[in-house]
Amino acid sequence: MPRVKSSRSTPNKSPIPQGKAGFVRIISGQWKGRKLPVKDLDGLRPTTDRVKETIFNWLAPHVRGTRCLDLFAGSGGLGLEALSRYAEQVTLVEMDKGAADQLKKNLVALGSQQGQVIQADAISWLQGPVTPFDLVFLDPPFRRELLPQVCDLLEQRGWLAPDALIYLEREKEMADLALPASWQLLKDKQAGQVCYQLYLRDTKNDAAV
């Protein structure tokens, strides 16, 4: 897979800005412009179109033909965008039954055979049978301290291909996030109170250490 060129919170914190409720829009690819319904859930925070466009500009040469995991799928905005851009297969993991059911309906509406929706808790699912992925989207609910354990499980249990790309979306105040030594930061941006980053799993560099 080609490489991309490198370029505790408290309840008193200001709320994280929300994405548009009601629908998710696919911004490019075979379903460009399609709007798909989103289940109305407390705390659901779809990635905004502006951030999503930046993410997929970073990933543009690397989505087609990849196996993708959207681990906290929610609205499905990231996983469905990857499918629209000809990912080989996308697994969308979502704990909420209503949101998972809506994702299944949206895949049917798109006529996609390459998407799979799994209703499960992300951490429990990562402790099950393993299939390596080339591209992983991690956009968990904010202020629940999920990322450290999730990242460790992805790395230690073999969920990541040798040169996998990992996208993280997290709250700005999570400044001391410990990540696996093999994850190399490629891109890093901030929009308001949200940080979003792209990492490469560089196992060659890790082995040299």
Side-chain angles (χ1 to χ4, degrees):
M1 179 177 174
R3 296 196 173 195
V4 180
K5 293 184 179 178
S6 297
S7 85
R8 227 140 276 266
S9 60
T10 69
N12 294 325
K13 295 286 186 181
S14 299
I16 296 295
Q18 303 292 302
K20 283 187 177 180
F23 68 87
V24 62
R25 184 173 71 91
I26 295 178
I27 58 177
S28 192
Q30 59 184 318
W31 303 314
K32 180 178 180 179
R34 287 288 297 271
K35 292 182 179 180
L36 300 165
V38 171
K39 186 73 174 177
D40 185 15
L41 297 173
D42 288 342
L44 186 63
R45 182 186 39 80
T47 301
T48 65
D49 283 358
R50 182 164 64 91
V51 171
K52 189 161 58 174
E53 186 169 6
T54 298
I55 298 164
F56 281 92
N57 282 342
W58 293 347
L59 293 171
H62 311 287
V63 177
R64 183 186 289 266
T66 57
R67 292 179 53 83
C68 301
L69 171 63
D70 190 352
L71 189 57
F72 300 91
S75 69
L78 297 174
L80 296 175
E81 188 73 34
L83 277 174
S84 183
R85 297 172 187 241
Y86 303 100
E88 179 181 304
Q89 194 269 336
V90 175
T91 299
L92 302 106
V93 178
E94 171 54 43
M95 182 171 64
D96 183 85
K97 184 180 187 304
D101 287 346
Q102 185 62 64
L103 288 171
K104 292 174 184 178
K105 292 176 184 177
N106 287 346
L107 287 173
V108 171
L110 293 170
S112 173
Q113 303 299 315
Q114 285 72 46
Q116 177 188 21
V117 178
I118 297 173
Q119 185 200 343
D121 169 74
I123 290 174
S124 297
W125 185 77
L126 288 174
Q127 294 169 339
V130 173
T131 300
F133 289 94
D134 306 304
L135 174 60
V136 176
F137 297 107
L138 299 177
D139 181 12
F142 280 0
R143 303 188 174 117
R144 297 190 190 175
E145 304 295 336
L146 294 170
L147 276 175
Q149 186 176 2
V150 164
C151 293
D152 185 62
L153 285 169
L154 286 168
E155 178 66 30
Q156 297 302 324
R157 299 207 69 246
W159 287 102
L160 302 173
D163 56 353
L165 293 168
I166 307 104
Y167 168 76
L168 299 183
E169 190 168 323
R170 59 183 178 84
E171 58 270 46
K172 180 178 68 174
E173 64 262 27
M174 187 185 283
D176 57 349
L177 177 63
L179 295 173
S182 61
W183 293 20
Q184 174 190 350
L185 180 63
L186 301 181
K187 301 284 187 179
D188 187 5
K189 289 198 73 172
Q190 182 177 320
Q193 299 176 63
V194 179
C195 291
Y196 48 110
Q197 300 167 314
L198 183 65
Y199 289 84
L200 168 70
R201 184 173 186 254
D202 188 353
T203 53
K204 294 186 179 71
N205 183 60
D206 190 43
V209 173

